[in-house]
Structures are given as C-alpha cells and as structure tokens.
Amino acid sequence: MSLKKACLGGRPPVIASLARPAGNVTGISLMAPDLGGKRLELLKQVVPGLARVGVLWNAANPYPALVFRETQAAGRALGIEVQSLEVRGPDDFDRAFETARRRPPGALVTVEDPLTGALRKAIADFTTAQRLPSLHGLREFVTAGGLMSYGANLVDLRRLAAGYVDKILRGARPADLPVQQPTRFELVINLKTAKALGLEIPLQLQQLADEVIE
C-alpha cells in the first residue's frame, strides 16, 4: 500500500505503510490487490457479454472509495463500464436504486462496509426485484438473498485481530505490528437466487465455490 493510497484524497495517512505502520495504529485490512478485478471476472462468467456494472459504495468511507477506484481501473482493462451508485447514508439508497432503474447495469457489485452491510437485505431485495445479477463483498449479503459474494473470510480476520489484541496487551508496540491483509477469500453462491433470476451458474464456478446455498 502506497502513501498515496493511504492518504485517500489528500488526507494525512493513518499509517505510514502496511509493513511499518509507525505511530500507534495497526490492525487488519479487508483489502487485497486486484479484488475489484476478480469480482468483475467472476460476474463475467455468469453474465456473458457483460458491458456495464453498477457499483454500490459508501463514498464517506475511505475503504470503499479505494475499492471503487480499483474496480474502475479493472473495468477499463476488461472493457466493462463501471457505473457509480454512491451513497453516504441510509437515506441515499433510494436515490441510488432509482439511478440503477433509470439506467440499468448488467450486474451490481456492492462494496462491503458497515453502511451497506446494515442494509444488505434491502440491497438483495432490490436486485431480485430488478432481476439483477449481483456480487457482494461478504457472504452475509448472499445469505440475505444476494447472488454471489467474493471477499475476505471474517472469521479468519477476527482470529487475527484477537491475536493482535493479545500481543498488544502483552506489551507489543502497534508500530511494530504490520497491518495484515486477508490470506483467504471465499466465494459463496446462492442457487436459489440464481433460479429466481433465471440464471444458470456454470458448473465450474460452482465447483470453485467455498459454499453453495441451495
């Protein structure tokens, strides 16, 4: 992670780098290189000829902003237009949904964060009503009715976080503990949602999935 990325729009970085955080802050990151691109590639396997993807993201949170920019870059490389559906609070979702209704994308990506996570059922209901294939950042979106998720395993991240808490309580300095990125990502597919959308999920993709909800 570069300082430019850490600054996110010119604000002072919270950490100096992932390997050497400095200061008094360290932790666990959801982010990994090429995450946006991988999600677009997965959607292309389900929606052949995919030309435009709507990205629902919280513009008030630096993490989704970074994921959105990386998804835009990946979209350019893959020949996919990335349509911004930004929100900053719960009241913005109706406007974002209306934008997607007026100019329907071929699929929807939801960037995970506390705001979108809290409204995951409303997001899943919208994509089902619009017959819109969707890919989300966490499996919880899929259990709420979304089509697919690809992202970090939260159980693993919580285990890593607990280990850091233990080290710090034993006297370790946060500045000496590198910010850890996910080491395992999980793909979850909801076949019930796929059937409701009239989609056929390729068998090869189902075999790659960590979990298939039937």
Side-chain angles (χ1 to χ4, degrees), residues 2-23:
S2 68
L3 279 177
K4 182 178 179 182
K5 286 186 177 180
C7 287
L8 293 173
R11 292 187 296 272
V14 176
I15 61 172
S17 71
L18 293 178
R20 297 181 178 277

Side-chain angles (χ1 to χ4, degrees), residues 121-134 144-147 192-193 196-197:
K121 183 63 168 62
I123 296 169
D125 289 347
F126 170 76
T127 57
T128 300
Q130 299 300 307
R131 298 181 66 82
L132 189 60
S134 61
L147 178 63
K192 293 194 296 184
T193 299
L197 298 177

Side-chain angles (χ1 to χ4, degrees), residues 140-160:
E140 286 78 7
F141 287 84
V142 180
T143 57
L147 178 63
M148 299 190 299
S149 67
Y150 181 76
N153 182 293
L154 290 185
V155 173
D156 285 352
L157 294 185
R158 289 173 183 137
R159 190 179 298 116
L160 289 172

Side-chain angles (χ1 to χ4, degrees), residues 55-137:
V55 178
L56 184 65
W57 61 292
N58 179 6
N61 185 336
Y63 167 73
L66 176 57
V67 176
F68 176 71
R69 288 198 296 272
E70 294 203 348
T71 305
Q72 279 184 310
R76 287 191 291 270
L78 294 169
I80 298 174
E81 178 188 349
V82 173
Q83 176 185 10
S84 176
L85 302 172
E86 70 174 69
V87 293
R88 291 178 177 273
D91 294 340
D92 295 332
F93 281 78
D94 285 342
R95 174 183 50 76
F97 292 159
E98 183 56 32
T99 298
R101 289 190 192 97
R102 290 198 311 267
R103 189 168 179 257
L108 178 80
V109 169
T110 303
V111 182
E112 66 280 16
D113 93 314
L115 175 61
T116 56
L119 290 169
R120 60 187 179 275
K121 183 63 168 62
I123 296 169
D125 289 347
F126 170 76
T127 57
T128 300
Q130 299 300 307
R131 298 181 66 82
L132 189 60
S134 61
L135 192 149
H136 312 275

Side-chain angles (χ1 to χ4, degrees), residues 10-40:
R11 292 187 296 272
V14 176
I15 61 172
S17 71
L18 293 178
R20 297 181 178 277
N24 199 38
V25 174
T26 189
I28 314 298
S29 170
L30 288 171
M31 191 58 192
D34 303 323
L35 189 59
K38 180 64 176 179
R39 289 171 176 172
L40 293 182

